[in-house]
Amino acid sequence: MSETRRYVIHFSAAMTAYAVVLVASILLIRANQDAWWRYFVAVTPVVPIIFAVMAVVRRVRTLDELQQRIQLEALAFAFACTAVLTFTYGFLELVGLPHLDWLWVLPLMSVLWAVGLAIASWRYR
């Protein structure tokens, strides 16, 4: 089996598990709002995300040096832009903009990683 195929299978399985665990945890928490264990249930979706992260790291390790450099530049771009955007919005919250949930940070970083990947890939073509 190719490394790409293995990555797609592992990442897809982790994200599918994440979706199932997320829905189940939300339903359990809503049905048991006063239960002592709701905090543990609330963080259960993190477990499949850890497996997704492991799949991404394994995939990057199998790439050649140029592709690893492209990924590094894309991640550096995503990290820096996420820092600037979240700090900026945090300051704007102090003057009245509505509070945004932390759950938006990972999607933001993922989109910026894709943008950074497009930019870095274009640079090295």
Side-chain angles (χ1 to χ4, degrees):
M1 180 179 343
S2 75
E3 289 299 324
T4 301
R5 182 170 164 83
R6 181 174 292 136
Y7 164 72
V8 169
I9 290 169
H10 289 168
F11 186 79
S12 298
M15 294 311 291
T16 300
Y18 167 73
V20 170
V21 172
L22 179 64
V23 169
S25 68
I26 290 170
L27 293 174
L28 273 169
I29 291 167
R30 285 185 181 166
N32 301 283
Q33 293 183 2
D34 295 327
W36 63 268
W37 44 263
R38 70 187 184 282
Y39 297 100
F40 297 105
V41 173
V43 297
T44 56
V46 173
V47 174
I49 291 298
I50 291 169
F51 284 98
V53 168
M54 289 170 38
V56 170
V57 169
R58 276 193 309 268
R59 176 64 178 139
V60 170
R61 286 182 179 158
T62 67
L63 298 174
D64 64 35
E65 291 173 0
L66 176 60
Q67 291 302 316
Q68 285 181 349
R69 182 180 182 120
I70 289 170
Q71 289 292 335
L72 176 62
E73 289 184 19
L75 285 169
F77 176 84
F79 177 84
C81 289
T82 300
V84 169
L85 289 172
T86 56
F87 269 73
T88 301
Y89 197 85
F91 292 128
L92 292 172
E93 282 183 355
L94 296 174
V95 294
L97 285 184
H99 176 71
L100 288 182
D101 201 309
W102 279 58
L103 290 173
W104 290 104
V105 174
L106 182 58
L108 172 64
M109 188 169 256
S110 298
V111 168
L112 290 170
W113 182 10
V115 171
L117 193 56
I119 293 167
S121 295
W122 179 78
R123 281 190 51 212
Y124 289 102
R125 64 182 167 103

